[in-house]
Amino acid sequence: MSNPKYVIVGSEVDQAEYFLHPDGSIDRQKGQDGTALNVEYIGQLMVDLSKRGPGNVTVAELETFEDQVRHALMVQDFALHSGGAELSDDERAAILENCEVRIEFETRMRGDRGSDRNRRILVVPSDETLEITDTLLKSQGSANGFRPPLSYELDRALMLASMQDDMLQMVREFAAAERDMSAEMQQKLEDHIKASIADRCTFKDAGGNPADDVKNDIMKSPLRSFYRSVGIYATNMCR
């Protein structure tokens, strides 16, 4: 392994390699009671810790959580962009084994007269992990629109589903301005948009049927989507 280019990010919801069991053990077998260690888990943990605050989390608990988060991470290889050799599975495993995770709390001290004192932590990624994308985008020049680096297929589906009302409103605005569009045609177009969005936002199995997939579960749960988003931003998956 010679100066590889990679980032360490949270595992996507369908790519967890480790599972947490009720007795606190972590292994690669989900079994009947395993909780996937991934970005959703990281996000939910952060929400819980934020509610509790640093004064209500023991050192032992924090060390346990840090180990859980380490198992929820994955190595994303940048060899395709950097031109280097791809990392082997053993090399990825070794990188994660030697990875140290530290959880820190931002703080807010309330002032008697409203002059609060806040501590914000800006985490700067290591070893040029932002430089590759920066260089790539600079070489592309100007363009209309931009898909953020964290646009995984689930993000695209979540955004598309959330934009349905806006798309339908555009159709209604067009119909109101065009005398040639009948109410029947407007309804057909609206129905087509709804059906198309529903189809594009459903993850399917090899047979083309809705898959029994965690992504479909998250599509139906704003809360789980929120936890996943928190985990993504926390682990800098937008690198």
Side-chain angles (χ1 to χ4, degrees):
M1 184 167 59
S2 177
N3 193 28
K5 299 298 182 183
Y6 64 88
V7 293
I8 299 175
V9 297
S11 298
E12 178 56 298
V13 290
D14 60 345
Q15 296 177 1
E17 294 189 9
Y18 292 94
F19 299 87
L20 174 66
H21 300 279
D23 64 357
S25 63
I26 297 174
D27 59 34
R28 292 179 179 271
Q29 304 301 319
K30 182 177 182 179
Q32 297 296 319
D33 58 6
T35 297
L37 293 176
N38 53 29
V39 285
E40 182 186 358
Y41 181 83
I42 293 173
Q44 188 170 0
L45 174 63
M46 289 189 65
V47 171
D48 179 60
L49 291 177
S50 180
K51 290 178 181 178
R52 293 171 62 178
N56 296 309
V57 182
T58 67
V59 173
E61 280 184 300
L62 204 59
E63 290 177 349
T64 297
F65 293 145
E66 288 171 343
D67 186 56
Q68 292 171 2
V69 170
R70 184 172 66 84
H71 283 88
L73 300 176
M74 64 176 288
V75 175
Q76 189 175 84
D77 198 342
F78 270 15
L80 180 64
H81 300 297
S82 65
E86 291 187 10
L87 292 167
S88 67
D89 290 342
D90 288 343
E91 288 173 330
R92 291 171 186 266
I95 289 171
L96 289 178
E97 183 64 28
N98 291 321
C99 177
E100 176 187 351
V101 173
R102 186 172 67 190
I103 298 174
E104 292 192 16
F105 286 84
E106 294 186 333
T107 58
R108 174 169 297 166
M109 298 178 63
R110 296 294 186 183
D112 294 337
R113 299 180 180 178
S115 54
D116 297 345
R117 295 187 62 182
N118 290 278
R119 177 173 177 258
R120 298 302 314 272
I121 300 172
L122 177 66
V123 179
V124 180
S126 63
D127 190 31
E128 305 172 347
T129 51
L130 293 176
E131 182 179 353
I132 294 174
T133 303
D134 179 67
T135 301
L136 177 65
L137 293 176
K138 284 179 178 176
S139 69
Q140 292 179 355
S142 300
N144 290 325
F146 174 66
R147 176 177 290 185
L150 56 74
S151 295
Y152 302 93
E153 59 179 355
L154 180 52
D155 293 283
R156 181 177 181 276
L158 287 165
M159 287 300 299
L160 183 59
S162 72
M163 293 171 63
Q164 176 172 294
D165 289 345
D166 289 332
M167 294 181 184
L168 294 176
Q169 182 59 33
M170 292 176 191
V171 171
R172 291 161 190 161
E173 290 170 357
F174 178 78
E178 292 292 327
R179 297 179 180 178
D180 294 339
M181 177 174 279
S182 65
E184 180 182 5
M185 180 58 69
Q186 177 185 340
Q187 188 60 53
K188 286 183 178 180
L189 183 54
E190 290 188 18
D191 290 344
H192 172 72
I193 289 175
K194 292 177 183 178
S196 295
I197 290 176
D199 181 67
R200 286 169 169 77
C201 294
T202 300
F203 293 89
K204 300 172 183 176
D205 58 23
N209 299 309
D212 182 11
D213 190 290
V214 63
K215 291 181 178 179
N216 283 330
D217 295 336
I218 287 181
M219 285 296 302
K220 302 172 186 175
S221 173
L223 181 61
R224 292 187 65 180
S225 297
F226 169 65
Y227 289 151
R228 174 180 173 273
S229 297
V230 172
I232 284 176
Y233 287 112
T235 56
N236 289 325
M237 288 178 74
C238 56
R239 296 181 194 177

